[in-house]
Amino acid sequence: MGASISDSDLDDDSDFAESHEINVTPFIDVILVLLIIFMVAAPLSTVDLPIDLPTSTATPQKKPDKPIYVSVKPDLTLAIQEEPVKRIDLIRSLDAMADVSKDRAIFIRADRSVPYGEFFGLMEMLRAGGYTKVKLVALESAPETAAPAPATNPTP
């Protein structure tokens, strides 16, 4: 409970008037902590489709602010961001998106169990639709060290 000293009662130090105001300092602290949690968690929740991506030792590229992901699931179904889409409607759905242009890069996330022919077919569909800037998404891995050459037995 808060108290304040009023200017009119300077001679009487024993009487403090009660303050009926809410102390907002703890409330502001809680709001700031929640803001920091959301600022940290927001970039981590980009795409939630469960896809087993292959690994790569290539140097990671800088990710744009709002990337457009086209995902190929293990059952060969397609999704734009997290929304499932039919193969026939893929280009039409990309064209209908307001923030997608033909010169913007499309990021392809394909499960490692997807056959190469299906993956290449998706890339051909995108190229035929005018989307020629395609980037592949993989998990980052450590570079492998060169294995020692097998020892050969010299013949006498």
Side-chain angles (χ1 to χ4, degrees), residues 3-6 9-18:
S4 66
I5 301 174
S6 64
D9 294 333
L10 291 177
D11 55 353
D12 190 12
D13 291 340
S14 64
D15 294 332
F16 290 106
E18 288 186 13

Side-chain angles (χ1 to χ4, degrees), residues 4 14 31 41 43 53 67-68 71 77-78 84-85 89 98 111 113 127 147 151 154:
S4 66
S14 64
I31 296 299
L53 294 172
I68 303 299
S71 302
T77 58
L78 298 177
V85 65
D89 299 330
D111 192 272
S113 65
R127 184 197 56 77

Side-chain angles (χ1 to χ4, degrees), residues 40-105:
V40 170
L44 300 177
S45 63
T46 53
V47 179
D48 292 335
L49 292 177
I51 292 182
D52 185 21
L53 294 172
T55 59
S56 173
T57 58
T59 305
Q61 301 288 321
K62 183 179 180 275
K63 188 172 82 170
D65 293 335
K66 293 182 180 180
I68 303 299
Y69 290 105
V70 174
S71 302
V72 184
K73 298 180 191 175
D75 59 355
L76 303 181
T77 58
L78 298 177
I80 298 175
Q81 303 298 65
E82 295 177 9
E83 298 296 321
V85 65
K86 295 180 182 178
R87 284 188 182 270
I88 298 170
D89 299 330
L90 176 67
I91 301 300
R92 191 175 358 198
S93 297
L94 284 172
D95 289 340
M97 294 178 75
D99 57 344
V100 178
S101 63
K102 300 281 185 183
D103 60 340
R104 187 166 176 194

Side-chain angles (χ1 to χ4, degrees), residues 20 22 29 44-45 50 60 65 75 113 119 121-122 132 149 152:
H20 299 285
I22 296 174
D29 291 342
L44 300 177
S45 63
D65 293 335
D75 59 355
S113 65
F119 175 74
L122 169 64
T132 57
T152 57

Side-chain angles (χ1 to χ4, degrees), residues 72-74 76 78 87 108 110-126:
V72 184
K73 298 180 191 175
L76 303 181
L78 298 177
R87 284 188 182 270
I108 298 179
D111 192 272
R112 69 175 64 220
S113 65
V114 172
Y116 181 72
E118 295 292 329
F119 175 74
F120 197 76
L122 169 64
M123 290 182 57
E124 280 296 310
M125 283 182 0
L126 290 171

